[in-house]
Amino acid sequence: MRHLLDRYYGKGGYTLDAARDPGGLTRAMRAYFKGDIGVIDTLPVETTGTPFQRSVWRALRKIRSGKTISYAELAGRIGKPKAVRAAGLANGQNPISIVVPCHRVIGSDGTLTGYGGGLPRKQWLLEHEGARAPAA
C-alpha cells in the first residue's frame, strides 16, 4: 500500500494517521462484506491520477453492482472507443479497488481477465455481488 501511495502522492506527499473508522470506511467495508453491496456507492472517492485515469475510475463507479462490462465498453463509456488497452491499463492502476470496482470489468468474450488481487478474488467479488461470474 505504501508503494502505491508513494507512486500516486510522491514520497512524503501524504501522512498516515491511525483511525478507527476513517470517514465511515471501516463500517462501510464491513457492511459490504456482510452483503450490503450498495454501501460502497455511498463512499466519497478522491484520487490523483491523469485526467484519463480519473475518467476511467469515474466510469468504474457507475457500473452497477451485480453487473459486468467489457474493457471495450469501458473505453466507449468514457468516449474513447479505440482506447481499450489504455482503459484497461487505467483500470489496473485504480488505487482504491472494491470501492472503485475495477473487478466488474471482464474480457469481451466474457472471460475473467487481469486483476491485481488475482482472478480467484475477482471471481469471488463478482459472485458476492450477485454477478454471473465467468470462469477464470
Side-chain angles (χ1 to χ4, degrees):
M1 181 52 113
R2 287 185 191 273
H3 174 72
L4 287 174
L5 290 169
D6 289 346
R7 185 167 150 199
Y8 287 101
Y9 299 104
K11 273 198 181 285
Y14 60 91
T15 58
L16 297 176
D17 296 319
R20 295 189 126 191
D21 190 16
L25 177 61
T26 302
R27 185 175 46 254
M29 294 310 293
R30 283 187 180 138
Y32 171 84
F33 285 109
K34 287 181 180 178
D36 183 2
I37 305 306
V39 73
I40 62 172
D41 296 333
T42 67
L43 293 170
V45 171
E46 186 175 327
T47 62
T48 62
T50 67
F52 181 82
Q53 288 172 323
R54 289 193 312 269
S55 71
V56 169
W57 300 336
R58 278 190 302 273
L60 291 173
R61 293 222 59 202
K62 293 178 182 173
I63 304 169
R64 294 174 38 147
S65 61
K67 303 292 181 191
T68 58
I69 65 169
S70 69
Y71 290 94
E73 186 175 343
L74 177 61
R77 286 185 179 194
I78 62 165
K80 306 272 186 194
K82 294 184 179 187
V84 176
R85 291 185 75 167
L89 286 171
N91 184 57
Q93 294 170 334
N94 162 26
I96 314 173
S97 65
I98 300 178
V99 176
V100 176
C102 51
H103 58 278
R104 295 178 186 162
V105 183
I106 61 174
S108 292
D109 63 357
T111 59
L112 292 185
T113 58
Y115 186 66
L119 293 181
R121 184 168 291 144
K122 181 173 185 167
Q123 184 161 355
W124 186 91
L125 288 166
L126 291 173
E127 289 172 356
H128 177 66
E129 294 181 355
R132 185 166 171 240

